Amino acid sequence: MGRHAEAIAAGLCAARIHRRSGDRPREAHALTIVGLEGQGEPQKAITVCSQAAEIFREAGDGRDEAEALLHLGSALSSAGREAESMAVVQQAAVRYRESGDPRGEGLALYRLGEAFVRTYVATASSHRDG
């Protein structure tokens, strides 16, 4: 098993342990790590990042919720779900702003800009080719 797969397995194990102990924020952090490692498997990353964002939202942790949403946006983009990705990344920017994190907000807005460019290029290319 490669290091990437080991990281995912360890993250999932940590998430289970934290869930059993009732430590939801640490469970969510472990799931976020799994989501980052799982970017090669977009559906897995989408699932765990969604779970992490929900846990952080329930805990009232807007900053970490924003981070999980940002990773969710990347996973959605990897899965070819660009419109959903853009909506989630925009939501991340709002959460960062509400949490008083201008660097996080800037990063989310930058990622949103990248998504707009990808969408524009894909649309322009399809019109040119079609």
Side-chain angles (χ1 to χ4, degrees):
M1 180 162 43
R3 301 307 250 179
H4 178 73
E6 285 178 29
I8 291 173
L12 289 171
C13 181
R16 283 191 300 274
I17 290 168
H18 292 308
R19 185 180 317 115
R20 280 196 302 266
S21 72
D23 191 339
R24 301 287 285 168
R26 287 202 176 157
E27 174 189 356
H29 281 288
L31 291 171
T32 301
I33 291 168
V34 171
L36 286 172
E37 289 295 325
Q39 292 295 322
E41 300 175 54
Q43 192 52 53
K44 180 184 283 186
I46 289 166
T47 299
V48 296
C49 288
S50 295
Q51 291 171 341
E54 181 61 29
I55 292 167
F56 286 130
R57 185 173 16 264
E58 290 172 358
D61 186 342
R63 199 245 159 251
D64 283 331
E65 177 190 356
E67 188 169 336
L69 289 170
L70 197 58
H71 297 313
L72 174 57
S74 293
L76 287 164
S77 181
S78 294
R81 295 162 58 181
E82 205 64 54
E84 289 175 79
S85 171
M86 291 167 67
V88 167
V89 171
Q90 193 164 25
Q91 189 179 2
V94 170
R95 293 289 183 269
Y96 277 124
R97 185 179 319 116
E98 292 171 348
S99 299
D101 184 345
R103 292 180 74 197
E105 181 183 4
L107 176 59
L109 292 173
Y110 176 80
R111 296 267 177 87
L112 186 59
E114 288 180 322
F116 278 118
V117 169
R118 280 192 305 273
T119 302
Y120 172 77
V121 169
T123 302
S125 177
S126 69
H127 286 301
R128 186 183 64 236
D129 296 340

